[in-house]
């Protein structure tokens, strides 16, 4: 089975142009392909996870990835999948975020001479003369066709800024530039990027002739993967300082039963033969599958040692034993205590388990909080500062979230 057939069997490919040529290129290790990452935060999240895994799979098959950091396009903002305009970031913020992305990507992709490239589209976009760009590239785009694109249609009612309207042209120019200067002959992206990607393919063929080999391919779940990256508490980040390895493990351990085999097939590097044997698993076997998924993905992002710690911590907590040392923890400063005490509302917000006092109050009143294995239903409940010495206390939110709060000795 070639890598193209494996990607298909794993459910990763939704639609392509030039399927025969794409299959031939990737199966023979001849593809130089790019995936773009706009720098809107200082960490990648699990919504980017599928793209990183795809790049790793294709590099292992001999193809050359280009990780394109959107230092230039982030200054405009992609309207795809959004109902409002993105927050405008400074160039300094974008540069910082790009540096953070690079460190995280190096866990997945091998960069270096004749290996993967990391490029930043700020290097060619920010120096463009706008009038020259309009003359060279703008003539290749029909406004009527652009407005029919899904990424623009969904914004027309609430308002689409002219700034964002230029995003498709900028992304298309990226592919055109890399095709000419880096031999990039293929682009990957999610279903929500299809219109932008087709724009790049069409630009190359209009500028360089119909025989120019520029091809596009989309991932089945990339747009769904962006939803994966969000939970009620916010995003699930790849940076361990933003989402701990234990929380990362627990996120995957708690996926819906209906999604677990799909996630194993798409995101892990387990052999397809092993996954096929698991397809009929039900009941308690699905819990084993979730543990396997959580362990494999935590190992991929944070390494085998952290994955093992997370697994053992989870087993210990859910069996009623084991140390809480490896679970997510918050050190409470002296200022968190008033007259030597902290109330349950302040404790939940200080630990980041609730975003506001109102949310904390509702959680307590609904019976969703336990401290040191004792359910807390009184919103006036308070705890002594001395209770948090040593390993501190374990707070349980709902059935599956554990958090340790402690003070320095």
């Amino acid at each position: 089975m070639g890598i193209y057939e494996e990607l298909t069997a794993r459910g990763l490919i939704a639609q392509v142009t030039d399927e025969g040529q794409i299959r031939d290129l990737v199966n023979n290790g001849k593809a130089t392909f790019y995936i773009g990452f706009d720098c809107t935060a200082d960490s990648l999240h699990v919504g980017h996870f599928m793209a990183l895994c795809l790049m790793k799979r294709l590099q292992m098959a001999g193809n050359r990835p280009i990780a394109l950091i959107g230092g230039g396009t982030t200054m405009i903002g992609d309207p795809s999948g959004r109902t409002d305009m993105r927050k405008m970031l400074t160039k300094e913020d974008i540069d910082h975020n790009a540096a953070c992305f690079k460190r995280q990507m190096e866990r997945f992709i091998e960069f270096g001479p004749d290996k993967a490239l990391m490029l930043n589209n700020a290097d060619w976009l920010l120096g463009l003369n706008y009038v020259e760009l309009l003359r060279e590239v703008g003539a290749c785009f029909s406004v009527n066709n652009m407005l029919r694109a899904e990424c623009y249609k969904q914004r027309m009612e609430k308002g689409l800024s002219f700034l964002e309207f230029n995003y498709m042209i900028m992304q298309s120019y990226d592919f055109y530039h890399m095709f000419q200067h880096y031999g990039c002959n293929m682009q990957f992206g999610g279903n929500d990027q299809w219109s932008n990607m087709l724009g790049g393919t069409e630009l190359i063929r209009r500028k360089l002739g119909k025989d120019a080999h520029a091809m596009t391919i989309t991932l089945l779940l990339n747009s769904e993967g962006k939803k994966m990256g969000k939970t009620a508490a916010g995003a699930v980040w790849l940076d361990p300082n933003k989402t701990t390895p234990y929380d990362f493990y627990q996120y995957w351990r708690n996926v819906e039963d209906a999604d677990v085999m799909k996630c194993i097939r798409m995101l892990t590097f387990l052999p397809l033969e092993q996954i096929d044997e698991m397809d009929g698993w039900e009941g308690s076997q699905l819990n084993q599958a979730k543990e396997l998924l959580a362990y494999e993905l935590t190992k991929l992002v944070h390494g085998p040692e952290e994955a093992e710690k997370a697994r053992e911590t989870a087993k210990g907590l859910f069996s009623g034993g084991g140390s809480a040392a490896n679970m997510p923890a918050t050190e409470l400063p002296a200022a968190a205590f008033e007259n030597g005490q902290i109330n349950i509302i302040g404790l939940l917000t200080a630990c980041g388990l609730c975003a506001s006092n109102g949310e904390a109050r509702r959680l307590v009143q609904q019976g969703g909080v336990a401290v040191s294995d004792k359910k807390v239903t009184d919103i006036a409940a308070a705890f002594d500062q001395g209770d948090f010495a040593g390993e501190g206390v374990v707070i349980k939110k709902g059935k599956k979230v554990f958090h340790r709060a402690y003070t320095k000795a």
Side-chain angles (χ1 to χ4, degrees):
M1 180 186 292
I3 185 62
Y4 184 85
E5 289 72 25
E6 180 179 346
L7 296 179
T8 302
R10 289 183 180 273
L12 289 167
I13 295 177
Q15 51 188 335
V16 301
T17 65
D18 312 282
E19 183 175 32
Q21 292 180 57
I22 289 173
R23 179 189 290 109
D24 181 64
L25 283 172
V26 299
N27 282 348
N28 291 289
K30 302 293 187 182
T32 297
F33 67 95
Y34 95 89
I35 299 180
F37 302 83
D38 276 350
C39 318
T40 53
D42 59 1
S43 173
L44 298 164
H45 56 67
V46 299
H48 300 108
F49 194 65
M50 183 177 293
L52 295 171
C53 290
L54 178 81
M55 296 176 89
K56 182 178 177 72
R57 292 184 203 279
L58 286 166
Q59 185 175 43
M60 290 168 63
N63 298 285
R64 190 181 199 191
I66 297 176
L68 180 64
I69 301 297
T73 43
T74 305
M75 301 190 85
I76 295 175
D78 183 3
S80 301
R82 295 188 62 86
T83 59
D84 56 1
M85 187 170 167
R86 292 185 188 276
K87 175 187 174 184
M88 298 284 280
L89 299 176
T90 67
K91 187 176 184 302
E92 291 71 25
D93 288 338
I94 293 171
D95 289 345
H96 170 73
N97 294 348
C100 294
F101 278 21
K102 183 176 188 295
R103 289 194 296 271
Q104 292 175 352
M105 289 178 178
E106 287 171 340
R107 292 194 69 95
F108 293 83
I109 308 159
E110 190 174 0
F111 293 99
D114 300 320
K115 295 178 181 174
L117 289 174
M118 179 169 286
L119 304 176
N120 189 325
N121 62 17
D123 293 342
W124 55 83
L125 290 180
L126 298 189
L128 287 173
N129 178 301
Y130 187 63
V131 173
E132 288 182 6
L133 176 70
L134 289 178
R135 287 175 60 86
E136 181 179 5
V137 178
C140 298
F141 286 82
S142 160
V143 171
N144 290 355
N145 289 340
M146 291 173 71
L147 290 176
R148 282 195 287 268
E150 194 61 36
C151 59
Y152 292 140
K153 275 200 307 185
Q154 62 192 6
R155 288 291 303 281
M156 293 303 290
E157 288 186 14
K158 291 198 173 182
L160 174 71
S161 71
F162 182 71
L163 180 72
E164 295 169 290
F165 187 66
N166 285 270
Y167 191 92
M168 182 185 291
I169 294 175
M170 294 294 96
Q171 182 170 326
S172 299
Y173 187 85
D174 284 343
F175 193 23
Y176 175 56
H177 180 89
M178 289 185 290
F179 180 89
Q180 291 183 293
H181 297 278
Y182 297 95
C184 181
N185 52 19
M186 199 176 299
Q187 55 183 336
F188 286 74
N191 283 348
D192 59 337
Q193 293 296 310
W194 187 242
S195 298
N196 292 336
M197 294 165 66
L198 289 179
T201 298
E202 181 63 19
L203 175 61
I204 290 173
R205 293 178 179 179
R206 289 192 64 174
K207 295 293 294 183
L208 303 177
K210 292 291 184 183
D211 294 332
H213 293 294
M215 291 160 279
T216 59
I217 187 168
T218 70
L219 312 185
L220 177 63
L221 264 197
N222 214 27
S223 45
E224 190 173 320
K226 289 180 179 178
K227 298 173 191 173
M228 279 186 197
K230 304 292 181 182
T231 67
V236 178
W237 305 100
L238 304 192
D239 183 342
N241 294 315
K242 295 169 79 71
T243 297
T244 68
Y246 174 81
D247 279 339
F248 187 85
Y249 178 96
Q250 283 299 104
Y251 173 79
W252 295 107
R253 174 62 181 81
N254 294 329
V255 298
E256 297 292 332
D257 288 357
D259 294 333
V260 60
M261 293 310 305
K262 181 166 60 176
C263 289
I264 286 176
R265 190 174 293 277
M266 291 182 169
L267 300 177
T268 76
F269 285 77
L270 296 173
L272 281 170
E273 296 79 10
Q274 179 182 349
I275 298 172
D276 289 340
E277 291 174 3
M278 298 165 60
D279 262 341
W281 282 13
E282 297 178 349
S284 62
Q285 288 181 311
L286 280 180
N287 286 329
Q288 296 177 40
K290 291 179 184 182
E291 290 172 3
L292 180 62
L293 171 69
Y295 178 79
E296 289 294 325
L297 299 192
T298 307
K299 180 174 69 173
L300 197 59
V301 174
H302 299 295
E305 184 177 344
E306 291 296 337
E308 190 60 40
K309 281 183 187 178
R311 179 163 65 180
E312 290 306 312
T313 299
K315 283 183 178 178
L317 290 169
F318 283 99
S319 65
S323 170
N326 294 320
M327 77 169 63
T330 298
E331 179 189 337
L332 298 175
F337 297 88
E338 185 175 347
N339 298 322
Q341 289 191 319
I342 185 171
N343 64 31
I344 187 62
I345 305 301
L347 180 60
L348 291 170
T349 55
C351 293
L353 294 171
C354 292
S356 67
N357 289 347
E359 181 186 336
R361 190 177 297 108
R362 287 189 296 274
L363 185 66
V364 172
Q365 290 171 334
Q366 292 165 4
V369 177
V371 176
S372 298
D373 288 329
K374 294 181 181 178
K375 184 170 283 192
V376 179
T377 56
D378 181 0
I379 60 172
F383 306 89
D384 292 333
Q385 188 168 354
D387 296 339
F388 298 89
E391 283 200 357
V393 302
V394 174
I395 307 158
K396 186 178 180 184
K397 174 186 174 183
K399 294 182 179 179
K400 298 175 179 178
V401 176
F402 293 85
H403 195 94
R404 184 168 62 93
Y406 68 98
T407 56
K408 257 187 181 173

